[in-house]
Amino acid sequence: MDLLGRVRALLADHPPAGTAPLDFLRARFDAGLAWVHFPVGLGGLGLARSEQAVLEAELAAAGAPDNNPRRIGIGLGMAAPTILRYGTEEQKARFLRPLWTGEEVWCQLFSEPGAGSDLAALAARAVLGEDGVWTVDGQKVWTSTAHTARWAILLARTDPAVPKHRGITYFVCDMTDPGVEVRPLRQITGEAEFNEVFLTGVRIPDAHRLGAVGEGWQVAQTTLNNERVAIGGQAAPRESGMIGVVAEVWRNRPELRTPELHQRLLKGWADAEVVRLTGERLRQQLALGQPGPEGAAMKLAFARLAQELSSLELELLGEEGLHYDDWTMTRPEVVDFTGREAGYRYLRAKGNSIEGGTSEILRNIIAERVLGLPAEPRADKDLPWKDVPR
Amino acid sequence: MTPDLPTPDLLYSEVEEELRASVRSLLDHHCRPNAVLARCEGDQPYDLALWATLAGQLGLAGLAVPEEHGGAGAGPREVAVVLEELGRRVAPVPYLGSAVLATTALIACGAAEALPELASGTRRAALAVPFTTAPGAAFPTAVTAEAGTLTGRVTSVADGSVADLLVVPAIGTDGPGLYAVEVGGAGVEVVRRTSLDLTRPVADVILAGAAARRLAEAETAVAALDRALLTGAGLLASEQLGVAEWCLTTTVAYLKERRQFARPLGSFQALKHRLADLWLETVGARAAARYAADALASGSPDAAVAVALAQSHCGALAVRAAEECIQLHGGIGMTWEHPAHLYLKRAKADQLALGTPGFHRAALAELVALGA
């Protein structure tokens, strides 16, 4: 049966109108229609990644429920491809289905107070006991969805006597373990989108290790590459995102207009459209199986644009820009730029150039991997981790 | 506010990549930086032998000319690829003036007579407007038409000094018209100016009762001129992309090689970040330039937006790339013998040409309902 035939059979057996969303999602996964490029039996059909758009369009037209990809983005975008590549058959069978249906939310325990952009400097320790169980102690930070997550992907140091990149191991951590403590971390916006996670004597069976002992850094590269390549298969229409918000204010509120803001609005509109077309060009390349280096550019460009436009919006609003909608500490499951007022957008956009790789790190990546410029000399490259001054 | 637009094709086709490869290979052999540099102070800054090869051997002058008039019947997408390569070499050939601006005006008003010779490259034409004229500008009034003759002065005409034929917008008693004037005829004088851009100098055209043939009148003339300017502006973005790419590539290569403080300069983060930013804007320029070329080729209702967008981005980018190239080359970048200055001069002149970035942003305001 061809792909569309399978989609129609799924819709016939589980009519979206009369099926509970979770039941539909489970059936969709079992039919191999979750992510078509995954293997048969793991939610896929082993097809080309580009076929996914065909199926998504067909399901959306039929009114099928989705798995709320934004809510489970870390699982979908980071944990799943890593488990697929490095997981054992048991791990794949256990984790992928509830991950995809959204029954189990994932978070990512990578960053630490002392290891942000220099991720490989991380200090959380994992020690293997004689019973074949690892014990983990340490502190992680900037962990979104930790308070709703059932599982975490975790990087911990398993050998402090070797240079920093070589002594790290990658685990799946059970967030319901009694040694896991999640504390909200209140941010600049007033809400607590992220958490601190304290790991005290957390016991992780060796069966929950992903990849070989000491090779966590290589495994993490899969996770991180997928984080940055997470660009949608759908074409974005003109004036989607932040520029659309600002343009509508401009159109609807002529009393706010000034010549200086007009110049900046037009510059911002043109920049936004150039970024949109760059994304569209990347999408067309990916559809042909030719991923270009433009992927690295998108996050950088998006961050700069979001910051400029949200800043412009506040100035445009003038007196209203002095207000803020709500400082109450909430713990949102997803970031919602357009569901809040301008002040929130301005403050939250400051994080766009920090989260998921700072703009400075992305520029280094572009300079070294795309342009081929030499790396800066590194003082800690060959030193055992324990001997690095800190 | 936003029309439903067809999805543009922003990639290069295989045919376009082949075209690029043959143009690049030819320029690698026949358009070396030292030769371009040596030529630009002489009597003839244009390389007409190169022009003859590009037009004769590769058929580039007639790329967008319909086959029945001696051309290849291709369109703006292919022409844009040629301009990227010519920009990358600041090639001193009258391609933009003759094969794009003048040829588009002639095609747009259905004046087929001159097309075969222009397509073959045996004759060259220029559109007699100041190179700074933007699409959508008021019809020029510098030249008046009376009883089949033209009188007036047009300044700063791109590629004017090597044109055999001038396509001249002029105002007669019955309104606007587009006229053909032979260079060399009585009452036609072309004066080469000392130009900022050494590789595409501008010239003034002085007409004193010059014999002229009317090609189009009234709305047809206005529309043909605007089509030529819109096409020229949209495709100039690809030339600007080529200029920027050369500057970026050359600077990256230099910073990998040049050592200071016992390290390659390119390993210093402060410099790497500047080049990463430049690369980012160049990636954007390629998307914008491709969109303009594709919109012009497909007759998209969004073509005016696409052109204004490409010009507002690519013009400024090419200048910035050339400025960074000079700065990051240090003292060498300031010397006459290094070709970087040719690129800055071309980039800055191109930024003024066919509407400045500011002009095009203002045009966008009207096109996308964001007026002051």
Side-chain angles (χ1 to χ4, degrees), chain A residues 292-312:
Chain A
E294 280 89 344
M298 292 308 297
K299 182 182 179 291
L300 194 53
F302 171 81
R304 188 165 63 188
L305 194 59
Q307 289 171 354
E308 280 172 11
L309 291 171
S310 60
S311 174
L312 175 65

Side-chain angles (χ1 to χ4, degrees), chain A residues 40-62:
Chain A
V40 174
L42 296 175
L45 295 167
L47 301 176
R49 193 185 281 259
S50 55
E51 299 282 321
Q52 186 80 12
V54 177
L55 130 113
E56 297 288 358
E58 191 76 10
L59 288 170

Side-chain angles (χ1 to χ4, degrees), chain A residues 162-177:
Chain A
V162 295
K164 63 179 183 179
H165 290 92
R166 302 219 306 263
I168 296 170
T169 303
Y170 198 118
F171 298 95
V172 172
C173 174
D174 186 341
M175 293 296 283
T176 64
D177 191 293

Side-chain angles (χ1 to χ4, degrees), chain B residues 292-309:
Chain B
D294 190 70
L296 288 166
S298 66
S300 163
D302 204 39
V305 172
V307 169
L309 181 73

Side-chain angles (χ1 to χ4, degrees), chain A residues 172-248:
Chain A
V172 172
C173 174
D174 186 341
M175 293 296 283
T176 64
D177 191 293
V180 178
E181 188 197 345
V182 177
R183 292 184 201 158
L185 192 55
R186 198 176 187 199
Q187 295 153 230
I188 189 170
T189 55
E191 65 185 10
E193 190 190 316
F194 304 115
N195 301 277
E196 301 179 285
V197 179
F198 295 84
L199 306 166
T200 312
V202 174
R203 292 178 52 79
I204 298 181
D206 194 50
H208 281 185
R209 172 168 47 82
L210 270 179
V213 173
E215 288 182 8
W217 186 251
Q218 289 86 302
V219 182
Q221 293 312 302
T222 299
T223 311
L224 297 172
N225 288 338
N226 277 286
E227 179 180 27
R228 289 180 191 127
V229 174
I231 178 163
Q234 298 286 317
R238 179 173 287 169
E239 287 193 14
S240 43
M242 205 78 86
I243 184 61
V245 175
V246 185
E248 281 315 296

Side-chain angles (χ1 to χ4, degrees), chain A residues 60 82 137 337:
Chain A
T82 312
D137 288 280
F337 273 85

